[in-house]
Amino acid sequence: MPSTKSSSRARNGAKATVERQRALQAEALAKAAKAAKAKKKPVQAGARKQPKPPMSRQHLDKPGLESELQLQPKFLAPDYIGSAKLKGLSALITGGDSGIGRAVAVLFAREGADVAIVYLSEHEDAEVTAEHVQAEGQRCVLIPGDVRDPKFCEEAVAATVKSFGRLDILVNNAAFQQHAMRLEDVSPAQLAETLETNIGGYFNMARAALPHMGQGSSIINSGSETGLLGSKHLLDYSATKGAIHAFTKSLASNLLPRGIRVNAVAPGPVWTPLNPADKTAKDVATFGQDSDMGRPAQPEEVSPAYVFLASPTTASYINGIILPVMGGPSG
């Protein structure tokens, strides 16, 4: 058998090492316990301070009006200075009346694009968006209707082309979301509504737009962190967002020979009417606090990503990507 004898010096050295390692362990455990007790502080990493939880404690009736939110989303991005990245172009944005869509419309206009807004029935919100687009010196057309209807999508594209003479950018952004605690609670009617709006509507709009798009055009789809990470209470919504990501990559490959780029933005929690029109007022108040930054994004923090992907100046060699704007690697 091998000898177990060692010098007293070696034994003392080993004992000292064990004690040192245990001291380091104790220190680390103490710090971890202290950190666990400490309240997570929301992170501010932008040009101006953004709202943090608690958010407004309220519930909205669907489809959710931004004008009714007690805490108004920030969408103007006053620190963003345009540089003609989209000058002379025309864009169509679904769900453009509020939330991310409104913020994107404003920045597209600031970069020189005319904007058509497709929305369901939120006329008051849409009018506000149009006023801000026009304040940037660009034209805006409002087109109410349901993206689930292929005929309406064709009419919306035709109205855009008639108004602006062209269509260069399509932003698929309209969405339906409804939480459910269990799979059994997702009714066939809810599943159909989610699928037909969130993925069916994207197919419908892209199919309608393509005959009017050419080399240098761009399609941007709104995905979600739920399509990357899943969400236990958004089973159908998460499934459609995953489908949108796959659709983006597939369509990007399909349209590449035509010089049309297709990409997606995958936001984390964003303060828009979508969640207050879904969750209870109690849950809305804590919306976004579990994100890496400890707060939801404001729409103006997400919209520059759409400009980046839309512009042939900044993204001519970017195709088929899912760009996460989640406040961190885990949303």
Side-chain angles (χ1 to χ4, degrees):
M1 294 182 64
S3 172
T4 59
K5 293 181 180 180
S6 59
S7 68
S8 60
R9 178 177 177 277
R11 289 194 299 271
N12 290 338
K15 182 179 179 181
T17 295
V18 170
E19 290 175 352
R20 186 176 66 253
Q21 291 179 352
R22 287 178 178 173
L24 291 170
Q25 178 188 42
E27 182 183 3
L29 290 173
K31 289 180 178 178
K34 183 178 180 180
K37 291 180 180 179
K39 186 177 180 181
K40 184 177 182 180
K41 294 183 179 180
V43 176
Q44 302 288 346
R48 62 175 177 158
K49 191 174 182 180
Q50 300 291 2
K52 60 184 180 180
M55 313 304 284
S56 57
R57 188 185 180 96
Q58 65 179 129
H59 174 76
L60 301 178
D61 292 332
K62 288 189 180 301
L65 286 173
E66 186 157 318
S67 59
E68 293 181 356
L69 275 176
Q70 295 165 5
L71 176 60
Q72 286 287 290
K74 295 186 177 182
F75 63 89
L76 285 174
D79 300 292
Y80 183 102
I81 300 174
S83 56
K85 293 183 182 69
L86 305 177
K87 185 176 181 180
L89 302 184
S90 163
L92 187 158
I93 304 172
T94 71
D97 57 290
S98 63
I100 293 174
R102 172 186 285 182
V104 172
V106 170
L107 287 198
F108 276 13
R110 194 170 299 169
E111 290 290 0
D114 294 320
V115 183
I117 300 298
V118 168
Y119 64 102
L120 198 56
S121 62
E122 307 92 323
H123 304 296
E124 181 180 347
D125 281 352
E127 290 287 351
V128 172
T129 302
E131 290 172 4
H132 284 286
V133 168
Q134 292 162 356
E136 299 290 344
Q138 299 301 133
R139 294 175 291 175
C140 187
V141 176
L142 301 181
I143 310 171
D146 189 347
V147 296
R148 296 181 308 159
D149 179 2
K151 183 64 175 177
F152 163 73
C153 292
E154 293 174 1
E155 293 171 352
V157 169
T160 302
V161 174
K162 181 179 180 180
S163 297
F164 305 143
R166 58 192 296 164
L167 176 57
D168 306 283
I169 306 162
L170 169 65
V171 177
N172 278 316
N173 177 65
F176 176 82
Q177 172 185 299
Q178 183 61 51
H179 275 69
M181 297 303 293
R182 308 176 305 159
L183 178 60
E184 297 94 318
D185 298 330
V186 181
S187 68
Q190 177 178 323
L191 179 61
E193 190 76 18
T194 309
L195 292 172
E196 291 172 11
T197 302
N198 297 5
I199 186 64
Y202 283 34
F203 267 84
N204 292 340
M205 286 302 312
R207 187 170 50 230
L210 280 172
H212 304 275
M213 305 181 87
Q215 185 171 337
S217 295
S218 174
I219 297 174
I220 306 172
N221 297 322
S222 288
S224 169
E225 67 172 8
T226 65
L228 299 170
L229 307 174
S231 177
K232 64 180 179 180
H233 295 150
L234 287 172
L235 297 167
D236 50 336
Y237 179 84
S238 299
T240 59
K241 290 302 181 176
I244 288 166
H245 295 171
F247 175 53
T248 297
K249 291 179 176 292
S250 301
L251 190 61
S253 296
N254 183 274
L255 297 181
L256 185 57
R258 294 159 66 172
I260 300 173
R261 297 179 298 104
V262 186
N263 294 290
V265 177
V270 185
W271 184 243
T272 75
L274 186 66
N275 278 280
D278 174 11
K279 296 183 175 183
T280 64
K282 179 181 177 181
D283 289 337
V284 171
T286 60
F287 177 63
Q289 71 177 17
D290 293 331
S291 68
D292 285 350
M293 284 201 173
R295 64 174 179 84
Q298 290 295 315
E300 67 182 17
E301 297 181 280
V302 179
S303 52
Y306 288 79
V307 174
F308 168 69
L309 292 175
S311 172
T313 302
T314 57
S316 63
Y317 204 67
I318 298 176
N319 189 47
I321 70 159
I322 312 300
L323 178 59
V325 186
M326 296 159 38
S330 58

